[in-house]
Amino acid sequence: MLSYAEFCDKFNIRLDAQQAQAVQCTDRAVLLLAVPGSGKTTTLITRAAYLVYCMGIAPENILTMTYTVAASAEMRARFSAAFGEEYAKRLEFRTINGVCESIINRYARQTRAQRFDLVSDNGAMLAEVFRTVRGEYPEGGDIKELQKAITYIKNMRLPRGEIDELEAGGIAVAPVYDAYRETLRQRGLMDYDDQLVFARQILLKYPDILGALRERYKYICVDEAQDTSKIQHEIIRLLTGESGSIFMVGDEDQSIYGFRAAYPDALMSFEGDYGGARGLLLESNYRSTPEITEPADRFIARNAARHEKHIRAVRGHGAAVRTVALSERAAQYSYICTMTENDPQRETAVLYRNNDSAVVLIDWLDRRGVPFRCRRGENSFFSNRTVNGVRDIMTLALEPGNAEAFMRVYSKFSLPVRRETAELAVSLYGAGKADSLIAALESASKEQPDWLRERIAELHDNFTALRTDTAREALDRIRYKMGYGGYVLKDSGDKERMYLLSILAAREKNTESFLQRLRELENISTENRTADSKLILSTIHSSKGLEYDRVIIIDALDGILPSVPCSGRLDDEQRKTLEEERRLFYVAATRAKNELILMTYPRQGTSTFIEQFFEKPKRSLGGLTRPNVTQKTLWAAKDYFPGTQVEHSVFGQGTITEVKGELATVIFRSGETKKLMLPICIGNGLLKLVKK
C-alpha cells in the first residue's frame, strides 16, 4: 500500500487542501458539500483510488452511485484514464436504479419468485389506461404530466391521502394511477420507479439479502446527492447500515429537480441520520471569475434551507456581469442574433427557464441563418394542450372534415356540447348530410335551445373566416370570438403560450402558413442542428454540470424566472418553490466561465432576481452553521425533551420521542422520523417549541 504522499507522486495528483481532506476522510460518514466548479468528480474518483491504493480495499467492495448512466460511464472513463483500466473495470459505478435492479434479480434467484419485466413504453400503457378510466383520449402533454406525477408519488412515498388530492395538468391522478398499477401487475411488468419501490421492500423484508449487500459494499459513494429522491435516500441508508461507510457528495444550492422528486432535505438532516457524521466543504471554484461568483454567492445566501458555505473564485478578475434591459421580449432575439453574427466563434450558451422560451428564438435564428444547436431533443411547447388546441382549431378550419381534430376541440368553445352530440355530428358528416363537421354539429343540435344553436352558427361563421384571416387575425379570433380563450386562459402558463404564438403569428400571412411554420419549428427544435456551432440553446435544467465561455440568461422576469411571487405573504409551499427557483437562477449563473449576461424587459415588470443578484443582503438570511455552543443555547436545549411539540422550518410540526446528548429524534406529522442536532437547529432558528 502507498502512503498518501507516494500516492500523489505516483499519479501526479494535485489537490487543494479541502479536496485532499475529503479524499483522506474514510473513517466515518461524510457529507461533502461541493459548490459549482469545485472539482467534485475529481475528488470522488481520487477518493476511490485512495481506498484501493492506500487502504488496500478491494475495488469490488466500493460502490459509487450516480444520477445517470452517462455519469457512471464518464466517471469510470475518468478513473481509468487517471488510475488504470484494471481497477476501473472492477469498481462498481452504477446508477441507483441499476443497484436496485441487481437487488431484485438477487431476490428472484433466491426465492424463485416471478420476475417482473421492465415496461418498455409506460407512456403507451398510460395512454391506454387513460382512455379506459376517463373515456377519452389524452391531449397534448397529459401523459407526460401523469408520468411525472406517478414518479413523484413513488419516489416521495406519498401517503394515500395526498395521492387522492394530487392533480396533473388539471387531471385527477389517483384513478389513473390505481388503474396503471393494476395493469402493470396483471401483465407482470414494472416501471423504473417500481425498481426502487420493490428493492426497498426486499431490503426491509429479507435481512439475509441486505446483509450480503452490506458485506459486499463496505464503502458507498453517492454523487449528485441533492438530486436523489426520498426513497433513494432510504435505500442508501439501508445499504450503509451502522457502519457509516458513506461518502455523499452534493450541494443543496444546486437542487433543481423538485418536479422529479429530488429530496435535498436529506442533506440537511445528514448528521442526524448518520451518527458521527462529518460535514466537509469544497468551496474553491475553478470555473468562473470573481465577478460571477461573488454576486452568485450573496444571491444564494438568501435561501434558508441550506448549509453555510461560500463559493470562492480561484481565477483572476474578468468582465463585470451585465444586465441588458430591452424594450420588449422580441428584442432579446434580435440582440442574440446580432451578437452571434458579430462574434460567431465565441462559445455562447443561451439558457432559459423552460423550452417555451426557446421557440421564438429558434424562429429568429432560423430565419436569419444563424447556426445553433439545441441541448435535448424534445420541446414540450409543441405537446402542450393550449398550443395543440390552437393547431387543431386551425386544422379543422382548413380541413372541415377532420374528425380527429373535431373530437379534440368540440368541447373547448365554452359551449355545453355533450360528447353524444359531437359523435352524432361525426356520423352525420360521414353519411354526407353536411359539408363540414361544424355544419353537422348544427344539425345534431336541432333539439337544443335556440341560444345554443345560435352560438354554434356563429362558431360555424368563425371557422369559415379562419380560412382567409391573417395568422394574427386568426389567433385573435380563436381567442376572443370563438370562446377558446375562456377555456385555456386559466393560468399564467396558458397566457404565456398564447403570447408566444402571437409573436410567431405576426410573421406569417395566413392560417395555412402559420401551421406549416409550427411544424417546421417543431422539427428544427428536435434536431441537433449544426453540431459544431458555438451557439448552444438549453434549458437551465439541461445545462447543469456543464460550463460555457459566455452565458446569456433570457426572460429574467417575474412570472417566468422566478415563476412565483418573491414578496408578500408566502405559505410554506410557496417559500419552498421560491427557494428552488432561486437555486435554478444560481445554477444558470454559475455555468459561465468568463461572461454572464442577464436579459430582461422592464416594461413588463421588475425582475426581482436581477435586483437580488446585485444587491448585498442587509442581514444574513439563512445559512446553516454550527454556532458556538453558548450557555443560552445549552439552556434552550434543555427545554427540548421527549414529548415536546416542536416545529421545524423544513419538516413542519412534530413530537420529540428521544433525546441523547445533543441528538433528538423527532416524528413529524408527515410520518417521517428525523434525528436532529439540537444546538445546530436551535442556534440557526430551524427548530422552535410549539406554544400551547
Side-chain angles (χ1 to χ4, degrees):
M1 293 185 290
L2 301 175
S3 68
Y4 180 70
E6 292 169 336
F7 172 65
C8 292
D9 286 341
K10 179 178 176 67
F11 296 105
N12 194 29
I13 295 168
R14 299 291 183 267
L15 303 177
D16 64 34
Q18 289 183 329
Q19 291 170 335
Q21 182 186 26
V23 165
Q24 297 176 81
C25 189
T26 60
D27 62 340
R28 65 187 73 188
V30 173
L31 174 63
L32 181 63
L33 297 164
V35 305
S38 59
K40 68 174 180 66
T41 302
T42 297
T43 304
L44 202 154
I45 64 172
T46 303
R47 186 179 185 272
Y50 176 84
L51 290 171
V52 174
Y53 286 101
C54 299
M55 296 183 61
I57 307 300
E60 293 81 4
N61 295 142
I62 304 170
L63 171 63
T64 299
M65 288 187 274
T66 65
Y67 190 60
T68 65
V69 173
S72 291
E74 181 189 359
M75 202 168 290
R76 187 183 299 278
R78 288 184 61 174
F79 185 98
S80 179
F83 303 107
E85 187 178 358
E86 179 187 352
Y87 286 146
K89 290 180 179 178
R90 294 169 58 190
L91 284 165
E92 293 260 13
F93 293 103
R94 308 182 72 175
T95 64
I96 298 179
N97 272 83
V99 173
C100 289
E101 183 183 16
S102 69
I103 292 171
I104 294 169
N105 289 338
R106 179 188 286 264
Y107 161 77
R109 290 193 302 270
Q110 181 173 312
T111 64
R112 298 183 180 179
Q114 176 190 353
R115 275 181 194 272
F116 279 49
D117 294 323
L118 197 63
V119 62
S120 58
D121 184 2
N122 79 326
M125 181 181 291
L126 263 176
E128 177 188 336
V129 169
F130 186 99
R131 291 193 298 271
T132 302
V133 172
R134 296 180 59 89
E136 59 184 358
Y137 287 87
E139 295 184 41
D142 287 349
I143 298 303
K144 291 191 179 300
E145 290 298 315
L146 285 167
Q147 285 174 316
K148 286 194 292 186
I150 291 170
T151 289
Y152 191 83
I153 289 170
K154 295 179 181 180
N155 277 266
M156 294 301 290
R157 296 210 302 115
L158 289 190
R160 185 70 216 189
E162 292 186 31
I163 296 173
D164 290 338
E165 296 175 359
L166 194 63
E167 288 191 354
I171 300 167
V173 173
V176 180
Y177 171 67
D178 292 338
Y180 170 70
R181 287 183 65 197
E182 179 59 21
T183 302
L184 285 172
R185 188 193 66 79
Q186 290 177 357
R187 299 180 185 182
L189 298 170
M190 63 179 171
D191 60 24
Y192 281 103
D193 300 309
D194 286 330
Q195 288 183 323
L196 304 172
V197 175
F198 295 162
R200 177 184 175 274
Q201 292 173 348
I202 291 166
L203 295 178
L204 289 171
K205 191 173 180 180
Y206 294 89
D208 55 332
I209 293 177
L210 177 59
L213 291 168
R214 286 177 175 176
E215 182 65 25
R216 176 171 183 179
Y217 299 129
K218 298 184 182 297
Y219 291 86
I220 297 175
C221 310
V222 181
D223 190 27
E224 302 288 6
Q226 76 281 344
D227 298 328
T228 304
S229 71
K230 184 177 183 178
I231 194 171
Q232 289 171 337
H233 276 291
E234 292 178 357
I235 291 167
I236 292 166
R237 183 72 184 90
L238 285 167
L239 290 173
T240 302
E242 301 301 318
S243 69
S245 58
I246 183 77
F247 184 73
M248 192 170 285
V249 184
D251 179 11
E252 70 280 350
D253 291 338
Q254 298 182 71
S255 180
I256 59 175
Y257 290 111
F259 65 95
R260 293 183 186 171
Y263 191 65
D265 295 358
L267 275 64
M268 304 306 300
S269 62
F270 185 86
E271 290 182 327
D273 293 339
Y274 296 90
R278 184 173 185 182
L280 300 176
L281 299 172
L282 296 185
E283 296 177 299
S284 296
N285 176 283
Y286 295 90
R287 173 186 299 155
S288 309
T289 61
E291 285 75 13
I292 296 168
T293 61
E294 289 173 8
D297 186 60
R298 295 192 301 267
F299 176 77
I300 199 62
R302 293 175 175 272
N303 275 3
R306 65 185 299 270
H307 293 89
E308 177 86 13
K309 56 185 168 305
H310 299 281
I311 177 170
R312 300 186 175 95
V314 174
R315 296 178 52 202
H317 289 276
V321 178
R322 288 194 292 141
T323 299
V324 178
L326 300 164
S327 60
E328 58 182 357
R329 187 170 193 167
Q332 296 178 119
Y333 314 128
S334 178
Y335 190 102
I336 292 168
C337 288
T338 302
M339 178 185 288
T340 306
E341 289 168 338
N342 292 337
D343 191 7
Q345 297 306 310
R346 179 85 180 274
E347 182 188 54
T348 301
V350 180
L351 305 183
Y352 31 84
R353 174 66 177 81
N354 55 59
N355 276 307
D356 292 354
S357 294
V359 175
V360 181
L361 175 57
I362 290 171
D363 182 51
W364 277 67
L365 292 168
D366 182 64
R367 290 178 186 273
R368 288 181 56 164
V370 178
F372 65 92
R373 52 191 167 102
C374 296
R375 282 193 53 77
R376 300 291 172 96
E378 179 188 358
N379 194 315
S380 58
F381 180 84
F382 298 102
S383 62
N384 174 265
R385 62 168 54 199
T386 299
V387 175
N388 279 334
V390 170
R391 294 170 80 171
D392 281 335
I393 293 168
M394 290 184 173
T395 298
L396 187 59
L398 298 175
E399 303 171 19
N402 191 316
E404 290 186 5
F406 174 77
M407 290 302 296
R408 286 194 293 265
V409 302
Y410 77 87
S411 62
K412 299 179 179 178
F413 301 108
S414 302
L415 296 174
V417 177
R418 299 176 64 183
R419 184 176 183 85
E420 292 83 354
T421 305
E423 291 173 342
L424 176 59
V426 173
S427 298
L428 291 172
Y429 177 81
K433 296 181 179 180
D435 60 359
S436 74
L437 283 162
I438 300 299
L441 184 62
E442 287 187 76
S443 298
S445 305
K446 61 183 179 182
E447 302 298 326
Q448 301 298 322
D450 291 345
W451 68 267
L452 179 56
R453 287 188 284 109
E454 289 172 4
R455 291 281 302 278
I456 294 173
E458 290 175 9
L459 188 64
H460 190 185
D461 292 340
N462 279 308
F463 264 102
T464 302
L466 285 176
R467 301 172 197 170
T468 55
D469 281 342
T470 67
R472 188 64 179 267
E473 288 171 344
L475 199 62
D476 287 344
R477 182 181 299 277
I478 290 169
R479 182 172 178 178
Y480 300 114
K481 294 183 179 181
M482 299 176 71
Y484 187 65
Y487 175 80
V488 301
L489 302 181
K490 299 172 184 176
D491 59 48
S492 59
D494 290 330
K495 294 177 183 176
E496 169 73 7
R497 292 178 190 100
M498 291 297 287
Y499 174 68
L500 293 172
L501 285 170
S502 70
I503 296 177
L504 294 171
R507 302 171 72 120
E508 298 298 333
K509 61 182 181 180
N510 55 39
T511 301
E512 186 175 5
S513 67
F514 181 59
L515 284 176
Q516 177 61 30
R517 186 55 180 166
L518 288 178
R519 287 190 290 270
E520 290 171 355
L521 290 174
E522 185 172 11
N523 291 331
I524 293 169
S525 65
T526 57
E527 296 171 355
N528 189 17
R529 309 185 84 199
T530 324
D532 59 346
S533 172
K534 297 295 184 180
L535 179 62
I536 302 100
L537 312 185
S538 174
T539 62
I540 299 171
H541 289 96
S542 295
S543 74
K544 190 170 175 292
L546 303 175
E547 59 184 31
Y548 304 98
D549 183 33
R550 175 169 61 195
V551 166
I552 303 172
I553 303 175
I554 64 171
D555 293 336
L557 188 76
D558 286 0
I560 300 178
L561 183 63
S563 63
V564 293
C566 293
S567 59
R569 199 162 187 163
L570 305 179
D571 59 31
D572 289 344
E573 194 61 35
Q574 288 173 321
R575 282 194 295 270
K576 187 176 179 181
T577 302
L578 177 60
E579 293 213 348
E580 178 151 332
E581 289 288 295
R582 190 174 284 115
R583 294 194 294 267
L584 194 65
F585 192 91
Y586 173 76
V587 166
T590 54
R591 299 310 93 195
K593 294 191 289 185
N594 294 308
E595 187 176 1
L596 175 62
I597 300 172
L598 312 175
M599 283 194 175
T600 188
Y601 27 107
R603 283 177 60 184
Q604 293 184 230
T606 304
S607 173
T608 307
F609 274 8
I610 289 181
E611 291 179 354
Q612 292 180 352
F613 194 78
F614 291 107
E615 178 184 90
K616 290 187 179 182
K618 295 178 181 178
R619 61 185 180 88
S620 177
L621 299 176
L624 306 184
T625 181
R626 184 178 182 93
N628 293 325
V629 185
T630 63
Q631 287 300 116
K632 185 178 179 180
T633 304
L634 288 173
W635 177 83
K638 294 178 181 178
D639 296 331
Y640 293 75
F641 49 84
T644 303
Q645 301 292 307
V646 295
E647 183 169 358
H648 193 279
S649 62
V650 176
F651 307 119
Q653 290 193 0
T655 304
I656 296 176
T657 59
E658 185 181 42
V659 177
K660 289 185 178 180
E662 298 179 348
L663 194 66
T665 302
V666 183
I667 297 179
F668 292 97
R669 289 183 178 180
S670 64
E672 296 181 90
T673 300
K674 297 290 182 182
K675 294 183 179 182
L676 306 175
M677 298 296 290
L678 287 175
I680 294 177
C681 293
I682 297 170
N684 285 284
L686 292 178
L687 197 68
K688 62 182 181 182
L689 298 172
V690 175
K691 295 181 180 180
K692 297 181 179 180

